[in-house]
Structure formats: C-alpha cells, structure tokens
Amino acid sequence: AQSVSQHNHHVILSEAASLELGCNYSYGGTVNLFWYVQYPGQHLQLLLKYFSGDPLVKGIKGFEAEFIKSKFSFNLRKPSVQWSDTAEYFCAVNAGVETSYDKVIFGPGTSLSVIP
Amino acid sequence: DTAVSQTPKYLVTQMGNDKSIKCEQNLGHDTMYWYKQDSKKFLKIMFSYNNKELIINETVPNRFSPKSPDKAHLNLHINSLELGDSAVYFCASSQGRRFYEQFFGPGTRLTVL
C-alpha cells in the first residue's frame, strides 16, 4: 500500500537556524508531491508542489524542496527560519497520477516550533 | 469571502447520536473532499466527489454518508456516532479531479462523549 513517512515528529529550532524536514514515500509509479503547512488554529495551505521538471522546487515564504526520485524523497528546506514558521508541516503524495483521479496521501506531519 | 467554509466549527455529542457537518466552497471548483485528522494529526482521505459523482470512497464505515447536492456543497452525515469518530474533519476542494492544489476548510472538531 502507498504510504508517506516524515522523519521527525517534532522539531525545535531557534530563529535564523536552517531547517530540513524529511519526507519519504513508498509508491513505484509516477507521483506528484506536495508540502502543506497548517499554522496554529488555521487550515492547511499549500507551500509548494512538484509535478515534473526541475526537481528543486521553490515555494512561498522562502521554502524549497528537492525531489530525489532514487531515494523516494521530497525534503523541505528553509535556510533561515522565523518565529512565524511555527506550524505543522505535512508532506503529501498524489499516487493517482496514472489513474483518472487524484489520490492524495498525507504524511503524519512534523510539528515545528521556532524559538525567538 | 471565505473560500471553503465548514459548519459547525465545534461539535460535541453523545455516543449513538446522528450528526451532520456541512461544507461549502465559493471557488467554482468541481471536486470536493472529506478528510479525517486524528489525535496524532494524521490526515486521511475519506471521500471525494467530482461534479456530484463519488470518485473516491476509502475504507470508511458505512455509518458515514457523504452527500453532494451540487458542486459547491459536500455534506457529511454520521450515524450512530462512536468514541473513535472523535477527530477533526476537513473539507477541501480543487478544480478538476487531477493535479490541482486542494484548498482546505478550517475544520470541524468533533468530540464524541
């Protein structure tokens, strides 16, 4: 069965530190990849997505992610985090690329706390 | 000008009751979804509708019945509520059934006592 794993359950960083959140998926077919963010008390919103082309994807708020097909990974990075980045981060994979509809599978989420 | 809205935001009820959660989107999208987020924040798709047609129906107890009266609305009715149904339920929408960003509602926190 398809699945998405995220390496860290909870990450605590000081402001200006660099961030890398790991994401791996298990699915042998073509995938589309996403990172969503959920700020405290708010709904999920899209940070960035990868469909094809350059495996290094840039998103909003200075985030980027790199798709490494051989490693089935899509890690999220940010060179310098801010207190306002405190949120829950979800990696997601669309495993329905070869079907007629989307089937997005979410990872369990990583909670990021940034200390001022 | 809320894009995806859900009502109610909080729902506290007794075991065995029947309850409904409503979802509306004003984005003009034709595909809508219901997700369940458990206490460990794990988000899992339950249903998806495209143009009022059910296209995804994951392994969900048949106590859960989605209803889509039109493209802008997707409601979730739950019969005979159980303790394990306690979770946050998110509605989402997208344009087209493939490759499009999903826009999420604010969630409905259901607590079954």
Side-chain angles (χ1 to χ4, degrees):
Chain A
Q2 303 105 353
S3 66
V4 180
S5 62
Q6 293 182 232
H7 304 173
N8 312 96
H9 181 65
H10 193 184
V11 173
I12 302 173
L13 294 173
S14 297
E15 273 193 318
S18 65
L19 170 72
E20 180 159 4
L21 301 182
C23 171
N24 285 90
Y25 63 92
S26 64
Y27 182 68
T30 305
V31 293
N32 299 142
L33 300 156
F34 307 83
W35 275 98
Y36 281 85
V37 61
Q38 185 178 23
Y39 296 106
Q42 296 189 27
H43 57 276
L44 276 82
Q45 48 190 295
L46 185 70
L47 265 182
L48 48 78
K49 61 189 176 190
Y50 171 80
F51 286 171
S52 63
D54 188 345
L56 185 60
V57 180
K58 294 197 183 300
I60 61 171
K61 305 188 182 187
F63 286 91
E64 65 177 31
E66 184 175 13
F67 171 46
I68 303 180
K69 189 175 181 179
S70 60
K71 295 185 178 180
F72 297 89
S73 71
F74 190 55
N75 292 354
L76 180 71
R77 298 195 291 249
K78 185 171 184 179
S80 175
V81 295
Q82 301 171 319
W83 176 78
S84 57
D85 293 324
T86 295
E88 195 84 21
Y89 291 82
F90 294 91
C91 180
V93 172
N94 176 11
V97 173
E98 293 158 354
T99 66
S100 61
Y101 57 86
D102 286 340
K103 184 178 178 182
V104 179
I105 300 166
F106 282 80
T110 296
S111 177
L112 171 65
S113 298
V114 179
I115 303 168
Chain B
D1 58 346
T2 304
V4 182
S5 59
Q6 295 178 228
T7 54
K9 191 169 183 179
Y10 300 97
L11 186 53
V12 181
T13 188
Q14 299 286 335
M15 254 192 335
N17 284 349
D18 303 338
K19 289 294 178 186
S20 292
I21 306 171
K22 296 186 176 182
C23 177
E24 177 180 0
Q25 54 93 5
N26 62 5
L27 296 166
H29 291 166
D30 60 3
T31 305
M32 296 184 72
Y33 312 80
W34 276 113
Y35 287 88
K36 179 180 180 181
Q37 186 178 47
D38 62 25
S39 58
K40 295 183 178 179
K41 298 274 188 176
F42 197 40
L43 200 62
K44 187 172 181 182
I45 191 164
M46 300 172 68
F47 302 103
S48 176
Y49 271 75
N50 173 258
N51 283 321
K52 302 197 300 175
E53 175 196 354
L54 181 65
I55 58 172
I56 296 177
N57 185 353
E58 290 296 289
T59 309
V60 177
N62 55 17
R63 297 183 294 104
F64 290 78
S65 53
K67 281 189 172 50
S68 181
D70 55 56
K71 288 194 303 184
H73 296 85
L74 180 61
N75 303 324
L76 183 65
H77 188 75
I78 315 169
N79 289 327
S80 303
L81 278 155
E82 300 178 357
L83 293 176
D85 298 331
S86 294
V88 180
Y89 292 83
F90 285 98
C91 177
S93 73
S94 66
Q95 178 53 36
R97 52 166 77 184
R98 309 191 65 197
F99 310 146
Y100 289 96
E101 173 187 354
Q102 294 183 13
F103 290 79
F104 284 80
T108 295
R109 183 175 294 277
L110 171 65
T111 303
V112 182
L113 303 174

